Amino acid sequence: MLRVEYREGLYLPDLDLWFDADGPRERCVISHAHSDHIAEHRGIVATPETARLFQHRRGEAEVEALKYGERRDYGRYALTMYPAGHCLGSAQILVEADGERLVYTGDIKLRPNVTAEQAVVVPCDTLVMESTFGDPQYRFPPDVATYDRLYAACDRALSGDAVPVVLAYALGKSQEALELLLRRGYRVMLHGSVYNVSEVYRECGVKFSGEYERYERGNVEGRVLITPPGCRRQPMILNIPRRYLIMLTGWAMSKSAPYMYKDVDLVLPLSDHADYDDLVRLARESGAQRIITMHGAKKFAGYLRELGLNAEHLAQHPSQQKKGSTKRAAAGSERKLFE
Ligand SMILES: [Zn+2]
């Protein structure tokens, strides 16, 4: 069986193959373009959409683009990408080597995502899976119920002459929110970073259900504004006299959500990650004889073992590993916002 290690990135030493490394590598396979999964590599292997988003966020790299379902033979191993439903271009990566099928999920959402390709469960022998919400307290309600709560909150705010401000991470969640709002006919204005990523989505062929505007100061009345979560503490938002802040995050289900988001009016559990039930389903339906969990709490592997699965924990999210460093600790709390 292939050895699996975590060294500031997932590493398969038998194949000298890196995935989502935290620092620059000669060549790295990238599951998706979130900033905690990319670095300044010389060469990357990624889906064409992730490669385009990587270029937008990190600049040039030598790109080996692999479309979903396209199997590429590298001699000692072959790679195939499958949709992960987390954001545009996000992929699970199947590695075939010495008769073993190993799948690395990257970040994954099994539920439909209105602006990302539908995730699939890929049969494998070894499953290396993210487990961000690998705790039974994270069981999300049906997404349609959350959409309705989002619409009702926006309607309420707009009818009271307040600006609904949807707080969502710039890549992935923002475009999901944008499409949901456009489908309902709202006029939507986007923070510059959200606007730029949305334009990349359009270049990649995503068709939004309407037009959107780039943020312009003093011109937000009557619109729903989408900004990254950190902006709520900045003048851009603080200077809007009547505002209603809506945070979209799976951490809404956490007991500590009221403390984590005490400066937000409403926290809704719309996530671009799988919830606990979907993680368990993924582990089961993959058929894997060996399950390796990462990017979440160690206890998730314990839950899987209680269900009769052969699971072990590999690594916490990097931002949670180095708590000694103040910078890292700060990144750790911010990382919750990447979700
Ligand atoms: Zn991600």
Side-chain angles (χ1 to χ4, degrees), residues 20 31-32 34 37 82-87 90-93 103-111 113 116-122 127-133 140 271-276 278-283 294-295 339:
D20 293 347
S31 68
H32 66 291
H34 274 157
H37 290 254
Y82 291 93
H86 174 66
C87 62
S90 64
Q92 306 174 71
I93 300 118
V103 167
Y104 165 52
T105 64
D107 288 349
I108 186 165
K109 173 179 183 165
L110 292 185
R111 292 180 179 194
N113 180 331
E117 307 81 358
Q118 175 61 50
V120 292
V121 177
V122 185
L127 178 68
V128 183
M129 66 184 296
E130 70 118 328
S131 55
T132 306
F133 291 117
F140 306 145
S271 178
D272 47 19
H273 287 260
D275 71 354
Y276 176 78
D278 277 351
L279 288 172
V280 170
R281 179 161 81 81
L282 174 64
M294 59 189 287
H295 286 187
E339 182 285 318

Side-chain angles (χ1 to χ4, degrees), residues 15 72 79 122 139 225 248 270 273 275 302 317 327 334:
L15 307 175
R72 189 158 305 163
L79 298 179
V122 185
R139 287 189 163 106
L225 179 61
L248 303 179
L270 184 68
H273 287 260
D275 71 354
H317 192 275
K327 200 173 148 205
E334 202 54 35

